[in-house]
Amino acid sequence: MISRAARKSLLASAASVVLASCAVGPNFETPPAPAVSRYTPEPLASPRVDAEGPRVPRQQFVNGADIPPRWWAAFRSQPLNELIRLSVEHNPSLQSAEAAIRVANFNALAQRGLFFPQIGVNYTPSDQQISNMATSNPVDSPQSRYTLHTAQLNISFVPDIWGQNIRAVESLDAQTEQAQYQLEAAYVTLTANVVTAAIQEASLRGQIAATERIVKIERDILGILKTQFEAGQAAQVDVLTQETALAQAEQTLPPLEKQLAVQRDLLTALAGQFSADEVLQKFDLRHLTLPANLPVSLPSTLVAQRPDVRAAEANLHSASAQVGVAIAARLPNLTLTGNPGTSAFKASQLFTQGTLFYTVAASATQPLFDGLTLYHKQKAAEAALDEAEAQYRQAVITALQNVADALRSLQADARAVQAAIKAETAAKASLDIVQKQLVLGQITQVTVLNAQQAYFNAAITRVQAEATRLSDTAALFMALGGSWPAECKTPVWRECVFADKPAPVMKVSEATLPSR
C-alpha cells in the first residue's frame, strides 16, 4: 500500500506536469520573410556585352532557380573538385564546428534531466562508543560500543510549475540549431574560399605568364637595338633605355612569384595540411570554365537557406526562451524531497522488518527582497532579446546586400573583360607594328617603350579581369548561401555531400529567364 504522504507527493508531481505545459515568457515565432521580391531597384538584367566587341563567355541570371549542392562543379575543374573534397574532409574549422554541435546537444540533453526526480544513494557504516561519563553512575556503568549501518535514498524533485526548465531546454535546443547552422556557414565559407584561392592562383600564373611574354619581347627588342648600335644605326642611349625597360619588367616577376608561393601555402592550409605537405592540385585560368547559368534565389528563399541568417534566427530563439527563464525565477517555487532508508546494527539486518524509515517533505519559496537582482536579470534578458532581434535584422540586410553586390559586380565584370580583351588585342597589334618599324629604323625609342608598356599593362589587366569575373561568380554562390542538402545530417554529412550520384540539374520551376 502507498502511504498518504507518498500519494500526495505523486499527485503534486502530476499537477506540476500539467502546469508546466504553460511556460511563462514569450512564445517564439519565426520572423517573417523580408517584404521584397528582388535585390536591385530595377528588374534584374543578365550581364550584357557589346555585340560588336570581342567574343566573351556569356552569363545569364536564372531567377528562382535552386543552387546545386556541389555548385563548384560548374567551374568544370577536376583538380578543384578534388581539392574541395580534401579540404572538407581535413579542415580543422569544420571539425571544430562539428564538436560545437555535440557540446550544445549534450548540454540540452543534460538540461532535460531536470524534468525527472534526482535520486542519489547513501550508505554510511559507523562504529561508535559511548563514554561511561554520560551515565548516572559512571563508575558502575561500562562503556558501550556499537556499529550502525544506514542505507538511504535521497530524492528531490522541483516541479516545473512555470516552465522554467522548459524554456531552458528550449534555449539550449536553439543553441544546438545555431551550432548546426554555424557548421553549414563554415562549410559554405570554406568551399567558397577554396574556389576563390584557386582562382587567385590561376590569376597569378596568368600574370606571370604575361610578364614572361613581355620580358621575352623586350629582350628581342634589346637584341635588335644592340645590332643596330653595332652597325651605327642606333644610339647607345637607346640601348641603355631598353636595358632599363627590360630590368623593370624582370623586376615585376619576383613579387608575383612570391604571391604565388603564398597562395600555394593558403590552399594547403585550407586543405588542412601542413605547409611542408603542399597540395598537388595546381590551377590555371585556361582550365577553369566560367559558369553560364547563375541561379538567383528569391529573397524569401535566401533567408531560409543562408546559414548565417538561420544562425541569427536560432540565436533570437534562444534569447526569447531566456526571457521565460528569467521571469520564472521571480515566481514561487516548489521543491519535493523524500528520504527513504533503512538502519540496522548489522549490514545483514538491513531491509529486515522494523529497520525501514522515510521522510517526505515539501517546501515552497518565493523571493521577497533580493535588491532587485532577479528583476534586473529579467530586464537584461529582455534587452538581450532586443539585441538578438536587431542582429537578425542586420543579418538579413547584409545577406541581401551581399547578393546585390555580387549581381552588380557580375554585370560590370562582363563589360570589363570585353574591354580588357579589346585593349590587349589592340596593344599587341600596335607592338607588333612597332617592332617591324624598329627593324627598319623608322621610329624612336620612346615609341617603342610606350608600346611595350601599353601591352604589358593591357595583358595584366586582361588576366585580372577574367579572374575577377570568376571570383565574383563564386562570391554570388556564397552570398546565396551555397547549398546544404536537406538530407545531409551530421555526423555523416560529408559522405552525403560527396555521394557518387549524378550532379543535380538546376531546377527552374517558376523561374523567369531574362531576355538577352
Side-chain angles (χ1 to χ4, degrees), residues 30 39 67 82 163 307 387 512 514:
T30 301
Y39 300 97
I67 302 175
E82 295 172 355
E387 178 186 14
T512 57

Side-chain angles (χ1 to χ4, degrees), residues 91 200 221 338 422-423 431 461 501:
N91 190 278
Q200 180 61 21
I221 293 176
K422 183 177 181 180
L431 182 58
T461 300
K501 56 185 178 181

Side-chain angles (χ1 to χ4, degrees), residues 54 142 147 151 164 172 194 216 228 230 248 289 296 301 312 317 350 362 406 411 452 472-473 477 491 494 496:
T147 300
Q164 183 177 27
L172 292 172
V194 171
K216 182 180 182 304
Q228 291 179 344
E230 292 173 357
Q248 290 175 340
T289 302
V296 181
T301 304
H317 189 175
L350 291 174
Q411 288 175 332
Q452 291 174 160
D472 288 340
T473 300
F477 282 110
R494 288 181 175 83
C496 177

Side-chain angles (χ1 to χ4, degrees), residues 21 81 202 325 338 343 495:
S21 61
N81 297 340
V325 173
S343 180
E495 292 79 359

Side-chain angles (χ1 to χ4, degrees), residues 163-185:
Q164 183 177 27
N165 198 52
I166 287 179
R167 292 303 191 195
V169 170
E170 180 184 353
S171 176
L172 292 172
D173 283 343
Q175 291 177 26
T176 303
E177 290 184 7
Q178 183 180 13
Q180 172 66 40
Y181 293 130
Q182 287 172 342
L183 168 62
E184 296 181 18

Side-chain angles (χ1 to χ4, degrees), residues 498-509:
F498 294 104
D500 293 329
K501 56 185 178 181
V505 179
M506 183 185 300
K507 298 180 181 179
V508 198
S509 57

Side-chain angles (χ1 to χ4, degrees), residues 350-508:
L350 291 174
F351 307 107
T352 60
Q353 185 175 5
T355 63
L356 300 179
F357 67 89
Y358 72 87
T359 302
V360 177
S363 64
T365 59
Q366 166 63 56
L368 295 179
F369 178 75
D370 59 359
L372 298 180
T373 298
L374 295 178
Y375 170 79
H376 288 129
K377 285 186 176 181
Q378 177 184 334
K379 290 302 180 182
E382 292 171 352
L385 177 59
D386 293 339
E387 178 186 14
E389 183 181 5
Q391 290 172 344
Y392 172 79
R393 287 188 282 107
Q394 183 59 56
V396 173
I397 291 173
T398 301
L400 297 178
Q401 177 196 355
N402 293 158
V403 176
D405 290 346
L407 295 173
R408 294 296 195 192
S409 298
L410 287 171
Q411 288 175 332
D413 289 343
R415 299 192 302 273
V417 169
Q418 188 178 48
I421 293 176
K422 183 177 181 180
E424 182 186 25
T425 302
K428 183 61 170 64
S430 175
L431 182 58
D432 291 341
I433 294 174
V434 167
Q435 284 183 279
K436 294 177 182 178
Q437 291 177 334
L438 178 64
V439 174
L440 300 175
Q442 297 176 348
I443 58 173
T444 64
Q445 181 61 17
V446 174
T447 304
V448 175
L449 292 177
N450 291 338
Q452 291 174 160
Q453 189 62 41
Y455 177 58
F456 176 74
N457 293 337
I460 297 297
T461 300
R462 190 266 308 166
V463 171
Q464 292 175 338
E466 291 182 347
T468 297
R469 196 180 187 194
L470 288 167
S471 297
D472 288 340
T473 300
L476 176 62
F477 282 110
M478 181 178 178
L480 291 170
S483 181
W484 180 281
E487 66 274 11
C488 295
K489 303 297 183 183
T490 54
V492 294
W493 63 272
R494 288 181 175 83
E495 292 79 359
C496 177
V497 170
F498 294 104
D500 293 329
K501 56 185 178 181
V505 179
M506 183 185 300
K507 298 180 181 179
V508 198

Side-chain angles (χ1 to χ4, degrees), residues 115-453:
F115 286 126
F116 303 95
Q118 307 299 299
I119 303 176
V121 62
N122 177 42
Y123 172 66
T124 306
S126 63
D127 186 72
Q128 301 183 36
Q129 178 173 294
I130 299 177
S131 171
N132 59 6
M133 297 299 295
T135 65
S136 59
N137 190 356
V139 177
D140 298 333
S141 300
Q143 292 181 320
S144 60
R145 178 180 177 183
Y146 66 93
T147 300
L148 185 65
H149 296 266
T150 303
Q152 184 178 7
L153 290 179
N154 299 315
I155 305 174
S156 65
F157 179 60
V158 180
D160 198 17
I161 300 175
W162 309 110
Q164 183 177 27
N165 198 52
I166 287 179
R167 292 303 191 195
V169 170
E170 180 184 353
S171 176
L172 292 172
D173 283 343
Q175 291 177 26
T176 303
E177 290 184 7
Q178 183 180 13
Q180 172 66 40
Y181 293 130
Q182 287 172 342
L183 168 62
E184 296 181 18
Y187 162 78
V188 172
T189 300
L190 174 63
T191 53
N193 285 345
V194 171
V195 173
T196 303
I199 293 171
Q200 180 61 21
E201 177 184 325
S203 173
L204 290 170
R205 292 188 187 278
Q207 293 177 56
I208 290 173
T211 303
E212 289 174 342
R213 290 198 303 271
I214 293 296
V215 168
K216 182 180 182 304
I217 292 173
E218 295 197 355
R219 283 176 179 164
D220 293 341
I221 293 176
L222 178 60
I224 295 173
L225 289 174
K226 284 184 177 181
T227 301
Q228 291 179 344
F229 173 70
E230 292 173 357
Q233 298 176 353
Q236 184 178 14
V237 67
D238 293 336
V239 176
L240 295 175
T241 301
Q242 184 61 28
E243 287 179 345
T244 301
L246 174 60
Q248 290 175 340
E250 292 174 334
Q251 191 178 12
T252 61
L253 275 174
L256 291 174
E257 293 169 347
K258 170 188 172 183
Q259 292 180 50
L260 178 60
V262 171
Q263 199 67 18
R264 296 291 299 166
D265 291 340
L266 173 60
L267 285 171
T268 302
L270 289 173
Q273 307 287 344
F274 296 114
S275 56
D277 303 323
E278 182 178 300
V279 293
L280 301 178
Q281 293 80 7
K282 296 183 179 180
F283 301 96
D284 190 283
L285 287 177
R286 294 172 298 176
H287 302 126
L288 291 171
T289 302
L290 184 72
N293 295 323
L294 301 179
V296 181
S297 306
L298 298 176
S300 58
T301 304
L302 175 69
V303 298
Q305 72 184 17
R306 184 157 153 151
D308 59 334
V309 175
R310 297 301 303 274
E313 179 184 334
N315 180 58
L316 177 61
H317 189 175
S318 176
S320 172
Q322 284 299 320
V323 174
V325 173
I327 294 175
R330 301 179 61 195
L331 300 175
N333 198 13
L334 178 66
T335 302
L336 305 177
T337 58
N339 302 104
T342 178
S343 180
F345 292 113
K346 295 181 180 180
S348 60
Q349 296 175 342
L350 291 174
F351 307 107
T352 60
Q353 185 175 5
T355 63
L356 300 179
F357 67 89
Y358 72 87
T359 302
V360 177
S363 64
T365 59
Q366 166 63 56
L368 295 179
F369 178 75
D370 59 359
L372 298 180
T373 298
L374 295 178
Y375 170 79
H376 288 129
K377 285 186 176 181
Q378 177 184 334
K379 290 302 180 182
E382 292 171 352
L385 177 59
D386 293 339
E387 178 186 14
E389 183 181 5
Q391 290 172 344
Y392 172 79
R393 287 188 282 107
Q394 183 59 56
V396 173
I397 291 173
T398 301
L400 297 178
Q401 177 196 355
N402 293 158
V403 176
D405 290 346
L407 295 173
R408 294 296 195 192
S409 298
L410 287 171
Q411 288 175 332
D413 289 343
R415 299 192 302 273
V417 169
Q418 188 178 48
I421 293 176
K422 183 177 181 180
E424 182 186 25
T425 302
K428 183 61 170 64
S430 175
L431 182 58
D432 291 341
I433 294 174
V434 167
Q435 284 183 279
K436 294 177 182 178
Q437 291 177 334
L438 178 64
V439 174
L440 300 175
Q442 297 176 348
I443 58 173
T444 64
Q445 181 61 17
V446 174
T447 304
V448 175
L449 292 177
N450 291 338
Q452 291 174 160
Q453 189 62 41

